[in-house]
Amino acid sequence: MAVWSRILLAGSALALLAACGPKDTPPPPEEKGFAAVDTARIETASAGAEWLTYGGTYDEQRHSSLDAVNKDNVDQLGVAWTFDLATNRGVEVTPIVVDGVMFVTSAWSVVYALDAKTGELLWEHDPDVDRAVGVNACCDVVNRGVAVYDGKIYVGVIDGRLQALDAKTGDLVWEKVTVDQSKPYTITGAPRVVNGKVLIGNGGAELGVRGYISAYDAETGDKIWRFYTVPNPQKQPDGEASDAAFEQVGNATWGDEGAWVTDGGGGTVWDSIVYDEVNDQIIFGVGNGSPWNRTFRDPSGGDNLFLSSIVAVDADTGEYKWHFQTTPGDNWDYTATQTIILADLPLGPDGASRRVAMQAPKNGFFYVIDAATGEFISGDAFGPMNWATGLDENGRPIEIAAARYGKEPYQQLPGPLGAHNWHPMAYNPDLALAYIPAQEIPQAYAEDPLFFSKDTAWNTGADFAAGVPPIAPPEVAKFLRSTLKGRLIAWDPVARAPRWTVEHDNAWNGGVLSTAGGLVFQGKLNGHFVAYDAATGDVLWDYNVKSGAGAGPGTYMIDGEQYVTIATGWGSAFALAAGFAYDDKVPSTVGKVVTFKLGGTGEIADADLTPIDRTPKAEPFGTDAQLAEGVVDFSRNCAVCHGPLAVSSGVLPDLRWSAISADPEAWKGIVLEGHYSANGMVSFAEYLSEDDVEAIRAYVLAQAHAATAAEDGGE
Ligand code: CA
């Protein structure tokens, strides 16, 4: 109780302070009650003293009106406090700050409430997820955050549940299962709450599901509406809000046959959901097709609405209003789930203000579309690409024919990890600049010859083993590393060009925060958290947070002091699936919330790491045929979590150095009998035979010996 009285006092002081200043006037907590956020309070907030919703405000610009930390003093930022998130898996949360309390999530959908001034733990809620569901998570068991509304905290759980918690205690108020849990659905995204409705989507399109977004009653958890993004296999009404949209525009874009009929078609709504209060509508981003390869998904070759689209629906009923499809007939995992930002730009007649939605999806174009109608205004490549030469007058990509890949691999930019992935983009309305965490991660796409004969969990129709030699020398990993690039682009959406660009030495850098202090904050893959001059891109401050710094930063003010915060952690899709990118430089360590203030004197503890014994644990073995089988089976079943070429970044075990690789029976026990399923490594007996498993062991040991032979040779 002592903790709570202090928090409420802090809240009162904050309210007094805010009442005197021009920045922000949240209703006094003592009048409304703790965390008594409603739609009106979020609508009038300016992402100033508080950070009430995932993107800062309903427009999700991630731009704070605070300027106490600014260009002149940002070099004095030091650590105010840190808090351990008790996980060595990926952390992608943007903290919510309300009434002096910070709400953050960690891996496995655990929620923490912290004193935002001190980092002291107030409560913790663990939804006790069965670790075996981790195998359904394409991109690590991450969570991007909570929503707060009317004294409750809402969190999407990785196993498909939606939970409402008491904001003061963390006690469960209600819980709904939002998915068919027999299918590989996951939830990683943050809910949003609008007019008493909790909005939540899901993920799973890599493994075969049918996507949708749902609205639940914030008070009771009753489902109010659901909008599917892919028709049902019979193209019949579902009795849901999306029925009319499929009748009007959707059904005709799908054939009657193909893998979508059995696999669900994909189109998951796993991240961006924004409330456009001016037009009283929800605008959300839709993910890729399932399977990726349209030749298998829908041989009729249609556009496949609403895959890879931005869709607007009525906020009360979920009824369809408009859509804009960024990638018709998706073939490459080009999701349109990336950050959607709403803003007013001088793009109307005679320079009049026009309300727009902006997005930089995976496909590499920066789009500006009319928020009221979905009309295409402009779209421009923000990085190199070789799948399209541009967009036509309606915004439809002008494709390069070879990008519709066949059996011959086509080395393509962007690849499935996108020219921009989930890392939140920000927008500074004063400078009219969008800040894109952009990247180059090429991928060789080829049609999978085994799509019908090897029905693995990841059966995308694209051949992950294409071009991978049975024994890959370390030079292959080094070559792959050399193809990776990242940059922070300050994009002018009116001039349709970058105003400045900062080059990073690696891909997969962090989300962005913009502030009225003239600053842009972004973390980098190498663990550095950096502040740039928002107008020029000059580096003003650079701090080593000693872990992954991918999450969206936040900022808030308490007792007249501005805090800047970022949740750090090791993991996420790239750390699992691109171990070769990590250079052994950034330590795998426990995730933390790291919060800074001017003059902060705290420190971030060094990771206590036990060095891995990087030696093969058995002699190499296996025929050429066995090794060839091993690379195919490894690439299809293991690489997404343990890394292509069997090179891991250390989130999950690097199998090359595993003692179990020396013991064929123990190896089989894990892969076929699920001996480690409590840790998330479930049985693959559905997909692999005993011979396959032994071939994988042969491949892993071959990779181990290839790596150490190169080191012994002085390489
Ligand atoms: Ca995907």
Side-chain angles (χ1 to χ4, degrees), residues 649-672:
S649 76
V651 180
L652 298 180
D654 191 317
L655 300 178
R656 295 173 302 169
W657 321 125
S658 162
I660 297 156
S661 68
D663 184 341
E665 288 309 310
W667 185 265
K668 258 191 304 190
I670 293 167
V671 182
L672 295 181

Side-chain angles (χ1 to χ4, degrees), residues 350-438:
D350 301 321
S353 179
R354 190 170 182 183
R355 187 163 172 80
V356 304
M358 295 181 278
Q359 190 191 50
K362 277 188 183 177
N363 77 10
F365 290 100
F366 186 95
Y367 295 91
V368 180
I369 60 178
D370 188 291
T373 64
E375 183 190 343
F376 172 71
I377 298 173
S378 68
D380 302 276
F382 57 86
M385 62 169 65
N386 65 353
W387 78 281
T389 57
L391 302 174
D392 72 12
E393 68 275 15
N394 299 313
R396 190 180 179 91
I398 302 161
E399 289 181 13
I400 292 169
R404 293 267 165 201
Y405 50 91
K407 291 186 174 59
E408 282 300 306
Y410 182 66
Q411 181 80 359
Q412 186 161 314
L413 264 178
L417 287 165
H420 169 215
N421 204 288
W422 71 271
H423 309 91
M425 179 171 83
Y427 176 75
N428 182 323
D430 304 325
L431 297 171
L433 284 178
Y435 301 100
I436 312 168

Side-chain angles (χ1 to χ4, degrees), residues 206 288 333 335 362:
E206 271 54 61
N288 56 279
D333 190 17
T335 69
K362 277 188 183 177

Side-chain angles (χ1 to χ4, degrees), residues 138-139 204-206 268 270 287-289 292 330 332-335 337 362 416 421 458:
C138 68
C139 307
E206 271 54 61
T268 46
W270 56 262
N288 56 279
W292 294 356
D330 171 46
W332 309 277
D333 190 17
Y334 281 173
T335 69
T337 54
K362 277 188 183 177
N421 204 288
W458 273 68

